[in-house]
Structures are given as C-alpha cells and as structure tokens.
Amino acid sequence: MYIMSLRTLCNNLRQLAVTNRQLCITHPGHGTNGFMSKLLLPATTTHCCGSNLGAGKQHDGSEVRQFHTTAAMERSKFIPFGRTGKQKYTVRPLPMVRYAGRDLDTGRIIHKRLGGGHKQRYRMLDYFREPPADDKVYEERVLDIQYDPNRSARIALVAGGNHKRYIIATVNMKAGDIIKTSGQVSRLSVTANEGDAYRLAALPIGQLVHGIPKYPGDHGRFCRAAGTSGQIVRKIGGMVVIQLPSKRQISVSDQCMVTIGRVSNEDHNKRVIGKAGRNRWLGIRPKSGLWHRKDGRHGRKIKPLPPIQVFMDKKQEGVHINV
C-alpha cells in the first residue's frame, strides 16, 4: 500500500505539472530510496511559487525542485479525432494519451489487463463514403497501403481532388488503384470493383460488403475488423438484409452506402504470438498467477440465432417492415 500510494502521488503530480508550469514540490527524502526522484522530471532549484523564501531553500532547509513541462508532455494533451469534433482532419500520425488501464483522475487500476506496450501514433480514419451532392461519380487514387497499430486491418492512403484521407483497405487493394464512390441507382445491378462504394439498392444479392452503416448518411459501423465482410441476403420493400460474420442478420435501408469487398489482412486470426513478451509489446498484461476453478462458464453452448435486427431510417417514423 505504501508503494502504491507513492505511485499514485507521482501520477497526480505529473498531471498537475502539465497544467501548471510553476508547480513546486519539496525534494524527496532518503526514506523513499530514490523512488520518487527517478519519476520526477529533471529541473533546477528555483523560488517556490508565491513565496519569499531564499533561492532554492525552505524554512526547514530542504531544497525546492520545480516541475518543467516537456514537449512530449505538451503533445500528450491531444484528444483523438471525433471525440469533441473540434479537431481538424489530418493524415499526419498524431501522438496518443495512453492511460495503461488506470483512471485519469485517481490513477487507480480500472483494467488489470492493460499496461505498457510500444509507443503508438493515431491515424485518423474517414469512415464516411458519402457521394457528392449531385450524385456524380467521385474517383480517388490509392497512394499507399500502410500498417496501423491501432487496428487489425491495413489502411489505405487515398487522394482525390485537393485532399487526402485514410480508409480501410480491402484484400486485393494496392497502390495505384482507382476507387469510385457513386450514389447512382440504376435499374440493373452494378458490377463494382473491390474498394468502390455504392448504395445497397445498386448491388446484387450475394455481394460481399464491409463498412455497413445503420442509417443513410451514417458512417460505417459493421464489418471493419481484419478479414470481415457482410453478405447481402435479400431485399424487401426498401430494406436490405445483410448477414454478418457472426451469422447474425441485420436489416438496413437500401440507401446506405457500403464498400465492396472484404477487409484486408485476412490472416490476422492465424498469427502466432510465440512468446509472452509479444503480448507486452501490444500493451497486454498477463493474467494473475493464482489458480482459478474451472466452473464450466466457457463451455460449449448451442443457442439459436437472435431475430433480425432492423435499423429503420429515423426520417421514416411510423413505418414498419416485416422481414
């Protein structure tokens, strides 16, 4: 408990140092064996905030050390894109705040299996594949296929017009490909290429899609992990039934925009960890070494599939379609 209280104190002091550049603390004594002195940032002895003490001295003769904020601590204030909606989109990898399974305010562990791991940077992904307002075909060129440490799938850097963005890459997508985004719906089903985005009403039955939204105008929410895809099962009265990788079926509006093909890195579930250290690289801490009784909670269970979940368009209130 004594060591944990010191760790919590140091975490709180570091958070205060980010917001107050002139925070002063007393130099730790010899009773802590240098534990706190290792965690403190190096600083020079200065006057204490708002005091008339001598240079670097208190009444009891102990030194006063000042907290200095570094460039890394300033960058750690970044809030991921989309949480507040105030950040501008950029393709530049951004630093992330990693709380290592601890509460932001108290510093206490709230998730025992998180902590450590290699440094990562956040890439802003654009999950919206909406067509232009005039329903013209919008073309983009794939510049590069990149690895993203924050997700299991590969990401593609695409450019169209005067801007760039990241999207989820498909299995056969490669640099130099031209992908299309179209909102046009013709009488005949289209023959789309992998990576193109169309409305569900324009696609044939049996087509594999990913990035499936719940409502028209929403961003892709289903089938975004590596190797996943949904399959169009049937169309009924302006609604399309799609079967997910879990065999569960959902029903969404045929005006939803989806991406053609299967998500890249389909062999992600076949990877071999190989050693305990690789999980630590990924930021996964080991389980407790205590013996736990096997109570059969994880045994095999045969359960019927749930009924089809219908996501009705919010604009069509009072309309119900039986699927």
Side-chain angles (χ1 to χ4, degrees), residues 285-301:
R285 297 178 63 191
K287 293 182 180 180
S288 171
L290 297 178
W291 176 77
H292 298 282
R293 182 181 297 277
K294 297 180 180 179
D295 54 1
R297 176 176 178 270
H298 302 284
R300 183 169 180 263
K301 303 176 181 65

Side-chain angles (χ1 to χ4, degrees), residues 27 37 73 93 120 122 125 159 165 167 187 193 200 222 245 249 256 262 278 281 296 306:
H27 190 279
S37 60
M73 297 180 69
Q120 300 174 351
Y122 181 77
L125 256 71
R165 63 173 178 170
I167 64 172
R187 187 173 58 88
N193 297 323
L200 285 171
F222 298 100
Q249 295 182 354
C256 293
R262 189 180 179 191
R278 186 175 180 184
W281 299 343

Side-chain angles (χ1 to χ4, degrees), residues 74-120:
E74 291 294 333
R75 289 195 302 267
S76 66
K77 295 180 180 180
F78 170 75
I79 300 177
F81 172 74
R83 182 177 297 181
T84 60
K86 298 180 180 179
Q87 292 80 21
K88 294 183 179 180
Y89 186 84
T90 177
V91 295
R92 181 173 60 90
L94 300 173
M96 297 192 309
V97 178
R98 302 184 67 180
Y99 301 124
R102 295 180 179 270
D103 186 83
L104 177 61
D105 298 324
T106 63
R108 295 185 178 183
I109 295 178
I110 57 178
H111 196 296
K112 296 182 179 179
R113 297 296 307 281
L114 296 180
H118 198 279
K119 290 184 179 180
Q120 300 174 351

